[in-house]
Amino acid sequence: MIKLIALDMDGTLLDSNKKEPKDFAPFVINHPEIQFVISSGRQYYTLEEQFHDIADRLIFIAENGAVIFRHGEAIYKKPMSSEGVHETLDVCDKSPNYHPLICGLNSAYITDEDPVVVEEAIKYYARRTHVESLHDSVELDDIFKVAIFIHDNKAGDEYQIFPTLSDDIEAVLSGTSWIDVASKGIDKGGALKILMDILGLTPDECMVFGDYLNDVGMMQAVTHSYAMANSHPDLFKVASNVTKYTNDEDGVMRTLKELFD
């Protein structure tokens, strides 16, 4: 019996206009026997705002697995070391292609005035603080990751040449426009395993939907994994199933209804 379903957001549950399916909330309400988990690189406050009507029924894995929120409380968190944040910012300082934000427990911190970067920050970070220096803001909060925006959907190209970092931090390709740097070993899959332990669930009792490389860990953590039809090709190699429909064709909900209704 499936007792937990973890869902990625962008490219998975959300369509290309960043809208969730209208039938998602009713489905969650009508299936109280299943714990639904929203798993995303987004900030918790952004996720909570988007799902405010059913937030009390959801668990949120945010910041690509660096923090888990339940009923408005962080039940797990793994911030970066200050040294790791400064090292990443030093890398960003050396390239005009890198537009970093630092993402903390209470807010995301930004210095960039580039309108495209600001628009993207608004999209993913409901709580934002504009500061004069990211380096000077490291001690203001528990910092979970440095999110680096790359123009023109070239994050994949930049990721291939991203500098080698210290052993305790690592870069992850988080989308076509984003590279995320966090503590080594932090990913959605690791957070999901921790949550499964907290809830006393086995891999056989859990299901995952995802579409991109930062969902690989989640796919490997459970028995029932679904790559979206629109997924990155490498995800098909690790998922146990592929949806018939893309995110723009309501692929998650159509699959869930076939399986559970």
Side-chain angles (χ1 to χ4, degrees):
M1 178 180 177
I2 299 298
K3 297 181 179 179
L4 180 149
I5 299 175
L7 304 163
D8 170 58
M9 288 277 281
D10 298 288
T12 302
L13 182 63
L14 305 186
D15 64 19
S16 295
N17 294 317
K18 308 302 182 184
K19 300 294 185 181
E20 72 273 14
K22 293 181 180 179
D23 47 354
F24 175 63
F27 191 90
V28 171
I29 292 170
N30 291 330
H31 291 81
E33 75 281 5
I34 301 173
Q35 174 62 68
F36 285 85
V37 178
I38 301 297
S39 183
S40 176
R42 297 183 182 211
Q43 182 188 61
Y44 160 70
Y45 304 103
T46 305
L47 300 173
E48 194 276 338
E49 182 178 278
Q50 180 149 15
F51 297 101
H52 65 277
D53 289 342
I54 55 169
D56 61 330
R57 295 176 179 262
L58 303 174
I59 293 176
F60 298 95
I61 295 176
E63 308 289 9
N64 270 337
V67 61
I68 303 173
F69 273 86
R70 187 181 193 183
H71 302 312
E73 178 184 357
I75 60 173
Y76 166 80
K77 61 180 180 178
K78 178 63 175 177
M80 294 176 69
S81 66
S82 297
E83 293 79 11
V85 181
H86 285 298
E87 177 184 346
T88 307
L89 292 176
D90 286 341
V91 169
C92 294
D93 289 342
K94 296 174 183 177
S95 173
N97 296 330
Y98 298 157
H99 300 268
L101 298 78
I102 57 174
C103 309
L105 180 65
N106 299 310
S107 180
Y109 303 88
I110 181 173
T111 59
D112 216 302
E113 299 286 356
D114 183 318
V116 176
V117 179
V118 172
E119 181 180 355
E120 288 293 302
I122 291 172
K123 186 186 305 179
Y124 294 110
Y125 299 97
R127 284 194 186 180
R128 302 172 308 280
T129 303
H130 195 90
V131 295
E132 293 186 4
S133 167
L134 293 182
H135 282 283
D136 292 343
S137 304
V138 173
E139 305 302 329
L140 295 177
D141 205 343
D142 286 333
I143 304 300
F144 296 125
K145 72 178 184 185
V146 180
I148 305 167
F149 178 77
I150 313 292
H151 278 290
D152 302 320
N153 296 309
K154 292 184 177 180
D157 296 337
E158 291 291 341
Y159 182 71
Q160 296 300 321
I161 59 173
F162 200 79
T164 301
L165 300 169
S166 297
D167 289 342
D168 64 332
I169 56 175
E170 63 183 346
V172 176
L173 186 62
S174 190
T176 58
S177 299
W178 293 94
I179 297 172
D180 289 344
V181 179
S183 296
K184 197 163 191 175
I186 292 296
D187 67 3
K188 295 180 184 179
L192 181 58
K193 288 179 181 178
I194 290 169
L195 179 59
M196 289 162 60
D197 287 341
I198 292 173
L199 300 177
L201 299 178
T202 67
D204 287 345
E205 295 173 308
C206 300
M207 181 178 290
V208 161
F209 288 79
D211 78 301
Y212 212 71
L213 299 182
N214 59 341
D215 298 319
V216 168
M218 289 203 303
M219 298 282 171
Q220 295 172 332
V222 306
T223 302
H224 311 281
S225 57
Y226 283 81
M228 302 300 295
N230 52 282
S231 291
H232 189 288
D234 288 347
L235 208 64
F236 298 138
K237 302 174 185 177
V238 296
S240 57
N241 302 278
V242 178
T243 64
K244 298 176 185 177
Y245 309 102
T246 69
N247 64 315
D248 283 326
E249 296 169 326
D250 211 9
V252 168
M253 295 310 303
R254 292 171 78 170
T255 303
L256 289 179
K257 289 176 180 179
E258 287 180 5
L259 292 172
F260 296 97
D261 291 346

